Amino acid sequence: MHYKAIIVVGARPNFMKVAPIFTQCKKFHDVTPFLVHTGQHYDKELSKVFFDDLKLPKPDFYLGIGSGTHSEQSGQIMIEFEKILGKLDPDIVIVVGDVNSTLACALATAKFRCGKRKYSPVIAHIEAGLRSHDWRMPEEINRRLTDALADLLFTTEPSGQENLIEEGISSDKIFHVGNVMIDSLLSHKEQAEKSRILNKLKLRKNKYAVLTMHRPGNVDERGDLAGILAALEEISRATEIVFPVHPRTKKMFDRYELKTDFLKTTASLGYLDFLKLLANANFVLTDSGGIQEETTVLKVPCLTLRENTERPVTVSQGTNIIVGKDPDAIVEQARKILSGERKQGQIPDFWDGKAAQRICKIAFNYLKCIVD
Ligand code: UD1
């Protein structure tokens, strides 16, 4: 028996999660992987540069969806992805993370199984069970609904399993396998050290902070964004802050005409340059999900500019502190780090570079059981 696996990517945080899965798939001679890129992210700095850095092959199918409202984007992805399902008739569809492409492709697959097929394509969700319990975040909706549709749910941390069980998902479907994003980090760390980005940006190791910020909850309202910027201006009096600016945030800076000249801004960076920047930072300020995990593994203190995290292990075991968006709280926590109060942390179980190996073994054994 030969199996066809579709692996879906759409937005920046997907690429580093999918690269180790794709590499592992290639090792199974009875599996043909097909890479489908929805085109949710399309700019070179948010997409192509990751394919180059991670040595991902050109996608087998590029859906070219682009930006839009959530419903426009998700609906278009479903329409185009359904055509690919019809063309390939896959045995398994693998989706990662929590972006709109994740849910849209899982939903199209779940509906596709209602057709005249002998058996349904299996839906595998990598990074299942994470919950911020904040339904205002589009990612929370994407995660919950994708998990409800998935046949195989691969978790990165203990909270994932607990949340899924609480939601009534059968424990037979849940596998604690570790973190594929950390697989990518560990396999590229040495190569990233060769990046010239610190020279290019005139930075000295451990003498700067890195900022990333793009969540609608932080950047879409003028008041919130101006408050966070005031805190950053205060911190910038004590240390240099480097900020690779996300297109959404850039748009908001322009719209609200906010002053940012106290930050060292750059365009979005590629995977290797950004990894080098993170690994050598004194500390990190972020509203990203994945960066909370990367800093935990790199042992770099991380201040998360959100009220909650769907990745609590980075707080209980790692270097992460949740500070929210209150300017005083942000400044206070940054001062503590600058005065030497640094969380050391430890690396969570199974964040060892072998998550993709575990996932593929489980997923393809499962296929053999149900298909053969
Ligand atoms: C998306 C994900 C978010 C993830 C983030 C990483 C969802 C709901 N959100 O948010 O979880 O953390 O990606 O970057 O899936 N744009 C460009 N070029 C691009 C893509 C977008 O300029 O290649 C601009 C567009 O003007 C767009 C805006 O950025 O309107 C936001 O893009 P979008 O994909 O809607 O959401 P992100 O904020 O990137």
Side-chain angles (χ1 to χ4, degrees):
M1 190 71 189
H2 200 90
Y3 306 103
K4 284 185 258 179
I6 292 186
I7 305 174
V8 175
V9 289
R12 180 169 61 177
N14 293 162
F15 306 123
M16 53 292 246
K17 293 173 191 169
V18 145
I21 292 289
F22 195 83
T23 306
Q24 283 301 320
C25 279
K26 287 285 200 193
K27 295 186 182 163
F28 288 74
H29 52 82
D30 51 354
V31 176
T32 307
F34 294 90
L35 197 57
V36 176
H37 188 338
T38 65
Q40 176 176 344
H41 281 177
Y42 41 88
D43 278 351
K44 184 167 176 271
E45 312 89 70
L46 293 188
S47 177
K48 168 87 169 54
V49 67
F50 289 86
F51 276 76
D52 296 344
D53 280 358
L54 294 159
K55 302 217 164 30
L56 270 167
K58 205 166 160 264
D60 296 286
F61 298 92
Y62 183 75
L63 309 184
I65 302 302
S67 302
T69 67
H70 285 269
S71 297
E72 280 165 357
Q73 192 173 58
S74 307
Q76 283 303 326
I77 294 171
M78 285 185 70
I79 292 168
E80 294 307 315
F81 190 66
E82 187 180 47
K83 295 177 191 163
I84 306 296
L85 289 169
K87 206 175 277 180
L88 291 179
D89 202 11
D91 300 290
I92 184 166
V93 173
I94 301 175
V95 295
V96 296
D98 55 17
V99 301
N100 285 345
S101 301
T102 310
L103 173 59
C105 293
L107 187 51
T109 308
K111 300 277 186 179
F112 183 70
R113 69 174 55 184
C114 303
K116 291 187 193 135
R117 309 180 79 252
K118 208 164 96 207
Y119 55 86
S120 316
V122 170
I123 302 174
H125 184 206
I126 297 179
E127 210 181 80
L130 297 180
R131 298 289 180 265
S132 67
H133 303 283
D134 180 354
W135 283 93
R136 291 167 305 176
M137 291 177 73
E139 293 82 3
E140 183 72 359
I141 301 170
N142 293 339
R143 289 181 201 116
R144 293 210 184 222
L145 300 186
T146 303
D147 285 340
L149 299 168
D151 304 289
L152 296 174
L153 298 102
F154 295 108
T155 60
T156 53
E157 60 164 279
S159 77
Q161 167 118 3
E162 290 156 21
N163 292 326
L164 294 170
I165 298 282
E166 208 167 284
E167 287 165 28
I169 291 174
S170 160
S171 61
D172 300 351
K173 298 183 182 181
I174 308 168
F175 303 89
H176 180 39
V177 288
N179 195 322
V180 283
M181 206 184 56
I182 301 307
D183 288 8
S184 267
L185 184 152
L186 296 175
S187 61
H188 289 86
K189 202 168 165 240
E190 225 177 278
Q191 201 189 339
E193 265 312 308
K194 296 186 189 131
S195 150
R196 309 279 302 153
I197 193 69
L198 299 194
N199 295 353
K200 208 168 141 194
L201 297 175
K202 299 193 176 56
L203 295 167
R204 284 186 303 142
K205 284 188 177 188
N206 299 320
K207 298 285 181 213
Y208 60 91
V210 174
L211 166 71
T212 82
M213 180 169 62
H214 70 279
R215 294 267 163 221
N218 281 341
V219 306
D220 284 6
E221 297 291 330
R222 188 180 204 285
D224 293 329
L225 187 54
I228 296 172
L229 284 174
L232 294 169
E233 184 166 13
E234 184 61 33
I235 299 166
S236 74
R237 297 197 176 100
T239 187
E240 194 160 28
I241 304 176
V242 193
F243 182 25
V245 188
H246 187 280
R248 173 188 284 276
T249 314
K250 166 90 178 56
K251 247 181 11 194
M252 296 304 165
F253 284 161
D254 295 345
R255 178 177 304 169
Y256 299 135
E257 298 178 354
L258 291 163
K259 185 168 113 20
T260 56
D261 56 2
F262 48 88
L263 300 172
K264 184 171 253 185
T265 56
T266 75
S268 296
L269 297 176
Y271 185 66
L272 296 171
D273 284 344
F274 189 69
L275 193 49
K276 167 102 183 192
L277 197 65
L278 271 192
N280 292 285
N282 185 11
F283 68 100
V284 171
L285 300 128
T286 190
D287 60 10
S288 148
I291 293 172
Q292 298 169 49
E293 297 179 336
E294 290 170 332
T295 46
T296 277
V297 171
L298 294 168
K299 305 236 173 215
V300 174
C302 176
L303 299 180
T304 295
L305 309 177
R306 287 172 43 190
E307 310 297 336
N308 52 51
T309 180
E310 62 287 337
R311 293 162 160 90
V313 80
T314 61
V315 177
S316 60
Q317 294 188 29
T319 58
N320 191 16
I321 297 175
I322 305 297
V323 282
K325 53 187 171 191
D326 172 56
D328 293 338
I330 298 171
V331 172
E332 189 195 325
Q333 289 297 340
R335 281 211 180 109
K336 281 191 186 165
I337 293 175
L338 286 164
S339 67
E341 222 180 285
R342 302 166 69 81
K343 230 178 141 185
Q344 286 304 319
Q346 64 193 61
I347 297 176
D349 277 352
F350 293 141
W351 291 20
D352 57 0
K354 295 185 181 145
Q357 216 172 298
R358 293 184 193 103
I359 289 169
C360 288
K361 210 167 146 197
I362 295 167
F364 300 139
N365 270 340
Y366 178 83
L367 272 188
K368 282 190 181 114
C369 292
I370 63 157
V371 177
D372 286 349

